[in-house]
Coordinates of all heavy atoms in Angstrom, one line a residue:
Chain A
H3 N 13.1 7.5 -14.4 CA 14.3 7.3 -13.6 C 14.1 7.1 -12.1 O 15.0 6.8 -11.4 CB 15.3 8.4 -13.8 CG 15.8 8.6 -15.2 ND1 16.3 7.5 -15.9 CD2 15.7 9.6 -16.1 CE1 16.6 7.9 -17.2 NE2 16.3 9.2 -17.3
K6 N 15.2 4.0 -10.3 CA 16.7 3.8 -10.2 C 17.2 4.6 -8.9 O 17.9 4.1 -8.1 CB 17.3 4.4 -11.4 CG 16.9 3.6 -12.7 CD 17.3 4.4 -13.9 CE 16.7 3.7 -15.1 NZ 16.8 4.5 -16.3
L7 N 16.7 5.8 -8.8 CA 17.0 6.6 -7.6 C 16.6 5.9 -6.4 O 17.4 5.8 -5.4 CB 16.4 8.0 -7.7 CG 16.7 9.0 -6.6 CD1 18.1 9.4 -6.7 CD2 15.7 10.2 -6.7
V10 N 19.0 3.0 -5.6 CA 20.3 3.5 -5.0 C 20.1 4.0 -3.6 O 21.0 3.6 -2.7 CB 20.8 4.6 -5.9 CG1 22.1 5.2 -5.3 CG2 21.2 4.1 -7.3
I13 N 19.6 1.0 -1.3 CA 20.9 0.2 -1.1 C 21.8 0.9 -0.2 O 22.5 0.4 0.7 CB 21.5 -0.2 -2.4 CG1 20.6 -1.2 -3.1 CG2 22.9 -0.9 -2.2 CD1 21.0 -1.6 -4.5
L14 N 21.9 2.3 -0.4 CA 22.8 3.1 0.4 C 22.3 3.0 1.9 O 23.1 2.9 2.8 CB 22.9 4.5 0.0 CG 23.8 4.8 -1.2 CD1 23.7 6.2 -1.7 CD2 25.3 4.5 -0.7
L17 N 23.5 -0.1 3.3 CA 24.9 -0.2 3.6 C 25.2 0.5 4.9 O 26.1 0.0 5.7 CB 25.7 0.5 2.4 CG 25.7 -0.2 1.1 CD1 26.6 0.6 0.1 CD2 26.3 -1.6 1.3
V18 N 24.5 1.6 5.2 CA 24.8 2.3 6.4 C 24.2 1.6 7.6 O 24.9 1.3 8.6 CB 24.3 3.8 6.4 CG1 24.5 4.5 7.7 CG2 25.0 4.5 5.2
Y19 N 22.9 1.4 7.6 CA 22.2 0.8 8.7 C 22.4 -0.7 8.9 O 22.2 -1.3 10.0 CB 20.7 1.2 8.7 CG 20.6 2.6 9.1 CD1 20.5 3.6 8.2 CD2 20.5 3.0 10.5 CE1 20.5 5.0 8.6 CE2 20.5 4.3 10.9 CZ 20.4 5.3 9.9 OH 20.4 6.6 10.3
M21 N 25.2 -1.9 8.8 CA 26.4 -2.0 9.6 C 26.2 -1.4 11.1 O 26.7 -1.9 12.0 CB 27.5 -1.1 9.0 CG 28.2 -1.8 7.8 SD 29.1 -3.2 8.3 CE 29.6 -3.8 6.7
L22 N 25.3 -0.4 11.1 CA 25.1 0.3 12.4 C 24.0 -0.3 13.3 O 24.0 -0.3 14.5 CB 24.9 1.7 12.2 CG 26.0 2.6 11.6 CD1 25.6 4.0 11.5 CD2 27.2 2.4 12.5
E33 N 29.0 -11.2 14.2 CA 28.6 -10.1 13.3 C 28.2 -10.5 11.9 O 27.7 -9.7 11.1 CB 29.7 -9.0 13.3 CG 30.0 -8.3 14.6 CD 29.0 -7.2 14.9 OE1 28.0 -7.0 14.2 OE2 29.3 -6.4 15.8
R36 N 25.0 -10.0 9.7 CA 24.7 -8.8 8.8 C 24.8 -9.2 7.4 O 24.3 -8.4 6.5 CB 25.7 -7.7 9.1 CG 25.5 -7.1 10.5 CD 26.6 -6.0 10.8 NE 26.7 -5.8 12.2 CZ 25.8 -5.0 12.9 NH1 24.9 -4.3 12.2 NH2 26.0 -4.8 14.2
W196 N 17.7 -4.1 -4.1 CA 18.5 -4.9 -5.1 C 17.6 -5.4 -6.2 O 18.1 -5.5 -7.4 CB 19.2 -6.1 -4.4 CG 20.4 -5.6 -3.6 CD1 20.5 -5.4 -2.3 CD2 21.7 -5.3 -4.2 NE1 21.8 -5.0 -2.0 CE2 22.5 -4.9 -3.1 CE3 22.2 -5.3 -5.5 CZ2 23.8 -4.4 -3.3 CZ3 23.5 -4.8 -5.7 CH2 24.3 -4.4 -4.6
F199 N 17.5 -2.5 -8.5 CA 18.8 -2.4 -9.1 C 19.0 -3.4 -10.2 O 19.5 -3.0 -11.3 CB 19.9 -2.5 -8.0 CG 21.2 -2.0 -8.5 CD1 21.5 -0.7 -8.6 CD2 22.3 -2.9 -8.8 CE1 22.7 -0.2 -9.0 CE2 23.5 -2.5 -9.2 CZ 23.8 -1.1 -9.3
W202 N 17.3 -2.2 -13.3 CA 18.0 -1.2 -13.9 C 19.1 -1.8 -14.9 O 19.2 -1.4 -16.0 CB 18.6 -0.2 -12.9 CG 19.4 1.0 -13.4 CD1 19.4 1.4 -14.8 CD2 20.2 1.9 -12.7 NE1 20.1 2.5 -14.9 CE2 20.6 2.8 -13.7 CE3 20.6 2.0 -11.4 CZ2 21.5 3.9 -13.3 CZ3 21.4 3.0 -11.0 CH2 21.8 4.0 -11.9
L203 N 19.9 -2.7 -14.3 CA 20.9 -3.4 -15.1 C 20.3 -4.1 -16.3 O 20.8 -4.0 -17.5 CB 21.6 -4.4 -14.3 CG 22.5 -3.9 -13.1 CD1 23.2 -5.0 -12.5 CD2 23.5 -2.8 -13.6
E205 N 17.4 -3.3 -17.9 CA 17.0 -2.3 -18.8 C 18.1 -1.8 -19.7 O 18.0 -1.7 -20.9 CB 16.3 -1.2 -18.1 CG 15.4 -0.4 -19.0 CD 15.3 1.1 -18.5 OE1 16.2 1.5 -17.8 OE2 14.4 1.8 -18.9
L206 N 19.2 -1.5 -19.0 CA 20.4 -1.0 -19.7 C 20.9 -2.0 -20.7 O 21.2 -1.6 -21.9 CB 21.5 -0.7 -18.7 CG 21.7 0.7 -18.1 CD1 22.9 0.8 -17.2 CD2 21.8 1.7 -19.2
R209 N 18.6 -2.3 -23.7 CA 18.6 -1.2 -24.7 C 19.8 -1.3 -25.6 O 19.8 -1.0 -26.8 CB 18.7 0.1 -23.9 CG 17.3 0.6 -23.4 CD 17.4 1.6 -22.3 NE 17.8 2.9 -22.8 CZ 18.1 3.9 -22.0 NH1 18.1 3.7 -20.7 NH2 18.5 5.1 -22.5
L210 N 21.0 -1.8 -25.0 CA 22.1 -2.0 -25.9 C 21.8 -3.1 -26.9 O 22.2 -3.0 -28.1 CB 23.3 -2.5 -25.0 CG 24.3 -1.4 -24.6 CD1 25.4 -2.0 -23.7 CD2 24.9 -0.8 -25.8
L213 N 19.8 -1.8 -29.7 CA 20.6 -0.9 -30.5 C 21.4 -1.8 -31.5 O 21.5 -1.5 -32.7 CB 21.6 -0.1 -29.7 CG 21.0 1.2 -29.0 CD1 22.1 1.8 -28.2 CD2 20.6 2.2 -30.1
E216 N 19.2 -3.1 -34.2 CA 18.9 -2.1 -35.2 C 20.0 -1.8 -36.2 O 19.8 -1.6 -37.4 CB 18.4 -0.8 -34.6 CG 16.9 -0.8 -34.4 CD 16.4 0.5 -33.8 OE1 16.7 1.5 -34.4 OE2 15.7 0.4 -32.8
I217 N 21.3 -1.8 -35.6 CA 22.4 -1.6 -36.5 C 22.6 -2.8 -37.5 O 22.9 -2.6 -38.7 CB 23.7 -1.4 -35.7 CG1 23.6 -0.1 -34.9 CG2 24.9 -1.5 -36.5 CD1 24.7 0.1 -33.9
Chain B
M1 N 20.2 11.6 -11.0 CA 20.9 12.3 -9.9 C 22.2 12.9 -10.6 O 22.9 12.3 -11.3 CB 21.4 11.2 -8.9 CG 21.6 11.8 -7.5 SD 22.6 10.9 -6.5 CE 21.6 9.4 -6.2
F9 N 25.3 14.7 -1.1 CA 25.0 13.5 -0.3 C 26.2 13.0 0.4 O 26.1 12.7 1.6 CB 24.4 12.5 -1.3 CG 24.1 11.2 -0.6 CD1 22.9 11.1 0.2 CD2 24.9 10.1 -0.6 CE1 22.6 10.0 0.9 CE2 24.6 9.0 0.1 CZ 23.4 8.9 0.8
L13 N 26.8 12.7 4.4 CA 27.2 11.5 5.0 C 28.4 11.7 6.0 O 28.4 11.2 7.1 CB 27.7 10.5 3.9 CG 26.7 9.5 3.4 CD1 27.3 8.5 2.5 CD2 26.0 8.7 4.6
F16 N 27.5 13.3 9.1 CA 26.8 12.3 10.0 C 27.8 11.4 10.7 O 27.6 11.2 11.9 CB 25.9 11.4 9.1 CG 25.3 10.2 9.8 CD1 24.4 10.3 10.8 CD2 25.8 8.9 9.4 CE1 23.9 9.2 11.4 CE2 25.3 7.8 10.0 CZ 24.4 7.9 11.0
R32 N 31.4 0.8 18.4 CA 31.4 0.8 16.9 C 32.2 2.0 16.4 O 33.0 1.9 15.5 CB 30.0 0.9 16.4 CG 29.1 -0.1 16.9 CD 28.1 -0.6 15.9 NE 28.0 -2.0 16.1 CZ 28.8 -2.9 15.5 NH1 29.6 -2.5 14.6 NH2 28.7 -4.1 15.8
I37 N 34.0 1.5 12.5 CA 33.1 0.9 11.6 C 32.6 1.9 10.5 O 32.3 1.6 9.4 CB 31.9 0.2 12.3 CG1 31.1 -0.7 11.3 CG2 31.0 1.2 12.9 CD1 31.8 -2.0 11.0
Y38 N 32.6 3.2 11.0 CA 32.1 4.3 10.1 C 33.0 4.4 8.8 O 32.6 4.7 7.7 CB 32.1 5.6 10.8 CG 31.1 5.6 11.9 CD1 31.6 5.5 13.2 CD2 29.8 5.6 11.7 CE1 30.7 5.5 14.3 CE2 28.9 5.6 12.7 CZ 29.4 5.5 14.0 OH 28.5 5.5 15.0
V40 N 34.4 1.9 7.4 CA 34.0 0.8 6.5 C 32.8 1.2 5.7 O 32.7 1.0 4.5 CB 33.8 -0.5 7.3 CG1 33.4 -1.6 6.3 CG2 35.0 -0.9 8.1
I41 N 31.8 1.8 6.4 CA 30.6 2.2 5.8 C 30.9 3.3 4.7 O 30.4 3.2 3.6 CB 29.6 2.8 6.8 CG1 29.2 1.8 7.8 CG2 28.4 3.4 6.1 CD1 28.5 2.3 9.0
L44 N 32.4 1.4 1.7 CA 31.3 0.7 1.0 C 30.5 1.7 0.2 O 30.2 1.4 -1.0 CB 30.4 0.0 2.0 CG 30.9 -1.3 2.6 CD1 29.9 -1.8 3.6 CD2 31.2 -2.3 1.5
S45 N 30.1 2.8 0.8 CA 29.3 3.8 0.1 C 30.0 4.3 -1.1 O 29.4 4.5 -2.2 CB 28.9 4.9 1.0 OG 28.3 4.4 2.2
F48 N 30.0 1.7 -3.9 CA 28.7 1.6 -4.5 C 28.3 2.8 -5.3 O 27.8 2.7 -6.5 CB 27.6 1.3 -3.4 CG 26.2 1.2 -4.0 CD1 26.0 0.0 -4.8 CD2 25.2 2.1 -3.8 CE1 24.7 -0.1 -5.4 CE2 24.0 1.9 -4.4 CZ 23.7 0.8 -5.2
I49 N 28.6 4.0 -4.8 CA 28.3 5.2 -5.5 C 29.1 5.3 -6.9 O 28.6 5.7 -7.9 CB 28.6 6.5 -4.7 CG1 27.5 6.6 -3.6 CG2 28.5 7.8 -5.5 CD1 27.8 7.6 -2.5
I51 N 30.0 2.8 -8.7 CA 29.4 1.9 -9.6 C 28.1 2.6 -10.2 O 27.9 2.5 -11.4 CB 29.0 0.6 -8.9 CG1 30.3 -0.2 -8.5 CG2 28.1 -0.3 -9.9 CD1 30.0 -1.4 -7.7
V52 N 27.4 3.3 -9.3 CA 26.2 4.0 -9.8 C 26.5 5.1 -10.8 O 25.9 5.2 -11.8 CB 25.4 4.5 -8.6 CG1 24.3 5.4 -9.1 CG2 24.8 3.4 -7.8
L55 N 27.2 3.6 -14.0 CA 25.9 3.2 -14.7 C 25.3 4.4 -15.3 O 24.7 4.3 -16.4 CB 25.0 2.5 -13.7 CG 25.2 1.0 -13.4 CD1 24.2 0.6 -12.4 CD2 25.2 0.2 -14.6
I56 N 25.3 5.5 -14.6 CA 24.6 6.7 -15.1 C 25.3 7.2 -16.4 O 24.7 7.5 -17.4 CB 24.6 7.8 -14.1 CG1 23.7 7.4 -12.9 CG2 24.1 9.1 -14.7 CD1 23.8 8.3 -11.7
Q58 N 27.0 5.3 -18.5 CA 26.6 4.3 -19.5 C 25.2 4.6 -20.1 O 25.0 4.6 -21.3 CB 26.6 2.9 -19.0 CG 27.9 2.4 -18.6 CD 28.9 2.3 -19.7 OE1 28.6 1.6 -20.7 NE2 30.0 3.0 -19.6
E59 N 24.3 4.9 -19.1 CA 22.9 5.2 -19.5 C 22.9 6.4 -20.5 O 22.2 6.4 -21.5 CB 22.1 5.5 -18.2 CG 20.7 6.0 -18.5 CD 19.7 5.1 -17.7 OE1 20.1 4.4 -16.8 OE2 18.5 5.2 -18.1
I62 N 24.1 5.4 -23.9 CA 23.1 4.6 -24.6 C 22.0 5.5 -25.2 O 21.6 5.4 -26.3 CB 22.6 3.5 -23.7 CG1 23.7 2.5 -23.5 CG2 21.4 2.8 -24.4 CD1 23.3 1.4 -22.4
S63 N 21.5 6.5 -24.3 CA 20.5 7.4 -24.8 C 20.9 8.1 -26.0 O 20.2 8.3 -27.0 CB 20.1 8.3 -23.7 OG 19.8 7.7 -22.5
L65 N 23.2 7.3 -28.2 CA 23.2 6.4 -29.4 C 21.7 6.1 -29.9 O 21.5 6.1 -31.1 CB 23.8 5.0 -29.0 CG 25.2 4.8 -29.2 CD1 25.7 3.5 -28.6 CD2 25.6 4.9 -30.6
E66 N 20.8 5.9 -29.0 CA 19.4 5.7 -29.4 C 18.9 6.9 -30.2 O 18.2 6.7 -31.2 CB 18.5 5.5 -28.2 CG 18.6 4.1 -27.6 CD 17.9 4.0 -26.3 OE1 17.7 5.0 -25.6 OE2 17.7 2.8 -25.8
I69 N 20.5 6.9 -33.7 CA 19.9 5.8 -34.6 C 18.5 6.2 -35.1 O 18.2 5.9 -36.2 CB 20.0 4.5 -33.9 CG1 21.4 3.9 -33.9 CG2 19.0 3.5 -34.6 CD1 21.6 2.6 -33.4

Side-chain angles (χ1 to χ4, degrees):
Chain A
H3 295 305
K6 299 165 191 170
L7 180 68
V10 171
I13 292 173
L14 277 174
L17 286 182
V18 175
Y19 284 92
M21 286 290 177
L22 293 183
E33 293 278 12
R36 295 176 196 277
W196 282 104
F199 194 72
W202 184 9
L203 295 183
E205 199 212 18
L206 267 183
R209 279 162 72 190
L210 263 181
L213 279 175
E216 268 183 54
I217 288 169
Chain B
M1 211 201 288
F9 180 76
L13 264 187
F16 167 69
R32 307 216 139 273
I37 191 77
Y38 297 104
V40 182
I41 297 170
L44 283 178
S45 306
F48 182 67
I49 289 171
I51 294 171
V52 169
L55 278 181
I56 291 168
Q58 294 298 303
E59 174 127 14
I62 292 173
S63 307
L65 268 176
E66 279 170 345
I69 282 184

